[in-house]
């Protein structure tokens, strides 16, 4: 009984933890999707950059969501155990509070290690990758509008100016 009880506790806490991780992470990613789509479309970049750019945000969102999901998972798991009287039955069998606290400690240690590895190793590498994506996205946005024979491009930052390339490849700068 002593060896099975902590696994049961972890199973009771991990299901709400992953549910909260998906719920909170999904909400923050939806908000980030709105912000990134505004930024991408204001630049005039193609839609193909939305998914890679959004995937670079996931490790930072994970760092924000892990503490909230851990608290919600722990609370819901403990509530489920107390509603079903599992804690009373375990204490009646002589288990005590040690397996309960060991499970909490294991969950906290796992989240600490995951969060530390994520923020110290993964997030800096993803930020470098995001900068590379941003440079490529900016180049794609500029070459999308500046083609020989295409319509004039009015930059969003300067609506009274326009760039135009004629069929011969000459660049023209127009002011209104």
């Amino acid at each position: 009984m002593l060896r099975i009880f902590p696994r049961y506790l972890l199973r009771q806490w991990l299901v709400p933890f992953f549910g909260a991780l998906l719920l909170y992470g999904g909400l923050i990613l939806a908000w980030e999707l709105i912000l990134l789509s505004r930024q991408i479309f204001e630049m005039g970049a193609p839609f193909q950059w939305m998914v890679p750019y959004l995937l670079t945000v996931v490790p930072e969102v994970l760092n924000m969501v892990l503490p909230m999901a851990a608290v919600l998972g722990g609370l819901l798991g403990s509530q489920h155990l107390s509603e079903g009287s599992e804690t009373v039955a375990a204490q009646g069998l002589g288990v005590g509070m040690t397996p309960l606290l060991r499970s909490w400690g294991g969950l906290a240690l796992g989240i600490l290690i995951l969060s530390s590895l994520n923020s110290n190793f993964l997030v800096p590498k993803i930020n470098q990758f995001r900068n590379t994506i941003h440079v490529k996205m900016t180049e794609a946005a500029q070459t999308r509008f500046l083609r020989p024979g295409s319509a004039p491009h009015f930059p969003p930052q300067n609506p009274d100016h326009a760039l135009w390339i004629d069929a011969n490849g000459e660049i023209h700068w127009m002011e209104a």
Side-chain angles (χ1 to χ4, degrees):
M1 179 68 180
L2 289 175
R3 292 183 183 167
I4 297 172
F5 195 68
R7 288 185 196 157
Y8 177 73
L9 283 176
L10 283 176
R11 191 171 61 239
Q12 291 298 318
W13 288 338
L14 287 179
V15 172
F17 170 73
F18 284 119
L21 198 65
L22 287 174
L23 174 74
Y24 292 141
L27 288 173
I28 293 176
L29 281 177
W31 178 252
E32 288 291 330
L33 180 69
I34 292 169
L35 294 177
L36 290 175
S37 65
R38 283 184 189 160
Q39 179 185 6
I40 287 174
F41 294 131
E42 282 177 2
M43 288 177 64
F47 183 71
Q48 70 184 16
W49 294 102
M50 178 66 69
V51 173
Y53 210 66
L54 184 65
L55 289 177
T56 60
V57 178
V58 171
E60 291 177 9
V61 169
L62 184 65
N63 274 347
M64 288 188 287
V65 170
L66 275 175
M68 294 183 292
V71 169
L72 187 64
L75 290 175
L76 288 178
S78 298
Q79 178 189 4
H80 181 72
L81 288 174
S82 66
E83 281 179 357
S85 301
E86 281 97 351
T87 53
V88 174
Q91 286 175 353
L93 291 172
V95 172
M97 291 297 289
T98 305
L100 184 69
L101 295 176
R102 190 180 308 139
S103 298
W104 268 94
L107 181 65
L109 184 65
I111 290 171
L112 175 71
I113 291 171
L114 179 66
S115 180
S116 296
L117 290 174
N118 186 27
S119 60
N120 290 319
F121 296 109
L122 189 61
V123 170
K125 292 196 184 294
I126 293 292
N127 281 337
Q128 291 173 351
F129 183 64
R130 184 187 308 160
N131 291 338
T132 305
I133 287 177
H134 189 72
V135 167
K136 290 180 181 179
M137 184 175 61
T138 305
E139 290 173 1
Q142 290 172 351
T143 58
R144 180 179 181 191
F145 296 109
L146 300 177
R147 291 189 192 126
S150 65
H153 170 62
F154 296 91
Q157 302 87 358
N158 250 345
D160 55 343
H161 293 83
L163 290 171
W164 178 63
I165 300 179
D166 62 10
N168 297 329
E170 294 180 7
I171 299 175
H172 300 277
W173 176 260
M174 298 183 282
E175 290 186 52

